[in-house]
Amino acid sequence: MKIAVGCDHGGFELKEAIVEHLQKRGFEVLDKGIHECKSVNYPEIAVKVGKAIQDGEAERGILVCGTGIGMSMAANKMKGIRAAVVSDYFSAKFTRLHNDTQILCLGGRVVGVGLGLELVDIFVDTEYEGGRHQTRLDMMAEIENQR
Ligand code: RB5
């Protein structure tokens, strides 16, 4: 599985840890930056990771900012993208099972490296259940077509 990863200055430390962790686990990681801890506007990084999903360059994405919220808001404005901010195990699992979320958003200032890496593992290891949940995803896609 290819995973695109990106962050702003609020998520830099956790993003670096995620890249190393996923590579050690054998995943191909597309690091969309930032590559040094400098101030950056999170929407530009969210778009890079979202585009990697839209283009089929990566199957999953992970975005990290201070809270995870700005990244998720930006990514969810992109067509076909389902991004979720998560800070607990249950949500990390069920946003994959029920929402087929492609992009996990984490708050580097919220979860820290220890919990952050555990949430990443749950996210990449859990498959979408499909079935009745697909109807709901189709309804969300329809909302997107209305605007
Ligand atoms: C940057 O200071 C901070 O606003 C950003 O990382 C993020 O938390 C926004 O949602």
Side-chain angles (χ1 to χ4, degrees):
M1 187 196 293
K2 285 187 192 172
I3 305 172
V5 178
C7 69
D8 74 354
H9 49 287
F12 184 73
E13 185 194 358
L14 178 52
K15 188 273 284 179
E16 291 288 285
I18 290 169
V19 170
E20 190 187 335
H21 178 73
L22 289 175
Q23 284 171 340
K24 270 193 198 146
R25 283 200 51 189
F27 292 104
E28 187 174 336
V29 178
L30 310 173
D31 188 346
K32 302 291 183 180
I34 50 179
H35 301 290
E36 59 181 300
C37 193
K38 58 168 191 204
S39 183
V40 66
N41 299 319
Y42 55 81
E44 67 190 68
I45 305 295
V47 164
K48 287 183 184 178
V49 170
K51 201 162 173 0
I53 301 293
Q54 284 178 328
D55 294 347
E57 190 192 357
E59 289 169 70
R60 303 270 174 88
I62 299 170
L63 285 165
V64 193
C65 62
T67 60
I69 296 170
M71 285 294 197
S72 72
M73 291 172 82
N76 276 315
K77 293 202 178 296
M78 299 180 72
K79 199 168 174 65
I81 296 298
R82 293 178 300 279
V85 194
V86 158
S87 56
D88 67 279
Y89 295 166
F90 186 86
S91 300
K93 182 174 175 181
F94 278 81
T95 202
R96 283 291 312 135
L97 288 174
H98 288 189
N99 310 125
D100 197 16
T101 299
Q102 310 111 321
I103 300 182
L104 174 72
C105 300
L106 297 170
R109 295 170 183 157
V110 180
V111 299
V113 171
L115 177 55
L117 295 183
E118 296 226 12
L119 296 171
V120 164
D121 280 342
I122 293 168
F123 180 75
V124 298
D125 291 339
T126 306
E127 285 307 315
Y128 174 48
E129 260 178 15
R132 70 188 189 282
H133 302 295
Q134 190 56 45
T135 306
R136 295 150 190 175
L137 298 195
D138 292 344
M139 288 171 77
M140 284 201 284
E142 192 48 44
I143 294 170
E144 210 169 50
N145 288 333
Q146 287 166 15
R147 53 181 174 175

